[in-house]
């Protein structure tokens, strides 16, 4: 088969299958031949490694992953792509395609069945309309995954990978940091896709923290605090936290002081340690109320 990044090859295949791109499903297929090999290498695809891919499209990244990994399982929502994938992936017996919605499938069960005894990573050029929900689902569900290497819109990459304490940081950045160590690997220009989107992209890698919090109650406490702090973005933490958790300003001021946070700080200026301190203090306060 000719290179699947070759535009005339792609057009010929899609025309033969009567396929039209769906904007709603975020269908922008990679046509830059350098991107997939870089992603496959960065995600750690190799012997003994199982790769979960989301949205294979016509299989351009899937082929690259399959050539390197022990096994690739790809979830595709658009049934029209299934016959295309059957053709483009015919030479790879180590690929399974699952027809379904990544937001609805039981991923824990799927991983158990598909990758017995393998180290597991995720690699995908994500459909942009569900970037954050997919990433959060993969991080929150305690799946046995080592890392996610995904292509997202450039602005989303900056937001997702922003360090707490920096201007770009938001609730999503804090949540991502809570579960993983994120990094931006490289940029991908809009011209690398067919059809070409209006924005540039970037490939990011999130390595799951082996020591990430597993206790659901502690997680819930932490995220209640984060949501409250970012609830009123332009306000100080004193105001947003007090309003978000219905705690008086005077008590909030004391909690902030104990957590080592200046009263006039804004949520994006807080470090992970300060969020954790605050979450511990709020949990202790609630326990005292209950006792
Ligand atoms: N991997 C291909 C590439 O790089 O050329 C295609 C990437 S394209 C940005 C996103 C793919 O995700 C499309 O094939 C689309 O049909 C699929 N998709 C969209 N929503 C999905 C969902 N909820 N679950 C699984 N796949 C989905």
């Amino acid at each position: 088969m000719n290179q699947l990044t070759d535009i005339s090859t792609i057009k010929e295949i899609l025309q033969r299958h009567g396929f039209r791109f769906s904007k709603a499903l975020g269908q922008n297929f990679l046509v830059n031949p350098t991107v997939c090999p870089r992603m496959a290498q960065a995600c750690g695809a190799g012997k003994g490694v199982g790769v979960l891919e989301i949205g294979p499209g016509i299989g351009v990244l899937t082929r690259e992953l399959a050539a390197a990994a022990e096994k690739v399982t790809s979830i595709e929502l658009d049934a029209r792509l299934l016959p295309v994938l059957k053709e483009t992936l015919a030479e790879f017996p180590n690929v399974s395609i699952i027809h379904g919605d990544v937001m609805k499938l039981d991923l824990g069960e799927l991983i158990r069945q598909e990758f017995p005894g393998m180290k597991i990573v995720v690699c995908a050029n994500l459909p942009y309309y569900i970037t954050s929900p997919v990433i959060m689902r993969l991080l929150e569900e305690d799946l046995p995954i080592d890392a996610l290497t995904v292509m997202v819109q450039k602005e989303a990459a900056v937001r997702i990978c922003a360090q707490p304490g920096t201007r770009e940081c938001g609730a999503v950045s804090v949540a991502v940091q809570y579960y993983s160590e994120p990094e931006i690997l490289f940029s991908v220009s809009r011209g690398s896709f067919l059809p070409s989107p209006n924005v540039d992209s970037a490939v990011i890698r999130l390595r799951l923290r082996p020591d990430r919090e597993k206790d659901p109650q502690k997680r819930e406490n932490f995220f209640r605090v984060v949501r409250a702090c970012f609830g009123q973005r332009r306000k100080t933490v004193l105001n947003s936290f007090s309003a978000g958790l219905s705690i008086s300003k005077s008590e909030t001021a004391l909690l902030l002081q104990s957590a080592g946070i200046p009263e006039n700080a804004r949520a994006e200026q807080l470090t992970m340690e300060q969020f954790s301190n605050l979450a511990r203090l709020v949990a202790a306060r609630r326990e005292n109320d209950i006792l």
Side-chain angles (χ1 to χ4, degrees):
M1 161 162 304
N2 280 336
Q3 278 261 14
L4 255 195
T5 46
D6 177 63
I7 293 185
S8 49
T9 305
I10 299 174
K11 284 189 173 159
E12 186 277 314
I13 294 173
L14 295 182
Q15 210 162 29
R16 197 153 33 76
H17 287 271
F19 178 88
R20 281 180 192 283
F21 290 96
S22 157
K23 218 173 179 178
L25 289 180
Q27 289 176 341
N28 301 97
F29 297 164
L30 270 164
V31 292
N32 177 336
T34 66
V35 177
C36 294
R38 287 178 83 184
M39 285 185 77
Q41 210 210 357
C43 81
K47 240 184 155 356
V49 177
V51 184
L52 178 66
E53 186 194 15
I54 295 143
I58 60 168
V60 63
L61 175 60
T62 323
R63 285 172 61 87
E64 207 66 45
L65 295 169
E70 187 83 27
K71 178 161 190 202
V72 180
T73 296
S74 303
I75 302 171
E76 176 54 62
L77 177 58
D78 190 343
R80 299 172 307 154
L81 288 167
L82 303 182
V84 178
L85 288 163
K86 200 164 178 201
E87 180 181 328
T88 59
L89 300 172
E91 73 220 66
F92 295 100
N94 60 338
V95 176
S96 359
I97 301 293
I98 294 187
H99 178 217
D101 182 339
V102 65
M103 294 308 290
K104 295 192 182 145
L105 288 167
D106 180 342
L107 296 180
E109 184 54 28
L110 186 148
I111 283 174
R112 259 189 303 282
Q113 284 181 4
E114 296 289 313
F115 305 116
M118 291 178 222
K119 175 183 151 119
I120 304 154
V121 297
V122 170
C123 188
N125 172 11
L126 285 179
Y128 292 161
Y129 73 102
I130 44 168
T131 299
S132 293
V134 171
I135 291 178
M136 288 319 298
R137 181 162 189 220
L138 293 166
L139 293 176
E140 281 169 350
E141 285 197 14
D142 283 329
L143 302 166
I145 292 171
D146 279 29
L148 320 178
T149 304
V150 289
M151 172 117 61
V152 300
Q153 284 189 4
K154 205 162 194 174
E155 290 71 17
V158 170
R159 222 169 348 102
I160 289 167
C161 299
Q163 291 292 322
T166 64
R167 200 163 49 87
E168 293 81 11
C169 178
V172 168
S173 340
V174 175
V176 166
Q177 285 277 339
Y178 189 71
Y179 295 109
S180 70
E181 288 175 29
E183 59 187 316
I184 298 181
L185 297 183
F186 56 92
S187 301
V188 180
S189 70
R190 62 194 75 186
S192 300
F193 301 89
L194 180 77
S196 177
N198 296 328
V199 288
D200 293 323
S201 297
V203 174
I204 62 174
R205 182 171 56 206
L206 315 181
R207 289 188 203 272
L208 276 286
R209 294 182 191 279
D211 61 346
R212 60 193 182 275
E213 182 60 66
K214 297 276 164 59
D215 180 340
Q217 188 58 58
K218 285 192 180 148
R219 284 183 179 185
E220 172 56 22
N221 287 340
F222 181 84
F223 285 110
R224 274 183 71 229
V225 163
V226 172
R227 279 194 299 273
C229 289
F230 281 100
Q232 296 172 309
R233 179 104 200 186
R234 290 180 191 289
K235 297 207 169 162
T236 59
V237 174
L238 177 67
N239 282 322
S240 51
F241 183 88
S242 154
L245 293 182
S246 307
I247 299 177
S248 71
K249 284 216 178 134
S250 53
E251 199 185 344
T252 299
L254 287 174
L255 287 168
L256 292 179
Q257 196 181 29
S258 310
I261 301 168
E263 272 185 26
N264 61 354
R266 288 170 201 281
E268 63 270 24
Q269 296 171 317
L270 269 51
T271 62
M272 288 303 279
E273 195 188 350
Q274 288 172 323
F275 281 119
S276 296
N277 290 345
L278 209 45
R280 260 197 307 276
L281 289 163
V282 172
R285 173 187 177 276
R286 262 215 297 185
E287 270 167 32
N288 286 339
D289 268 1
I290 292 164
L291 292 176

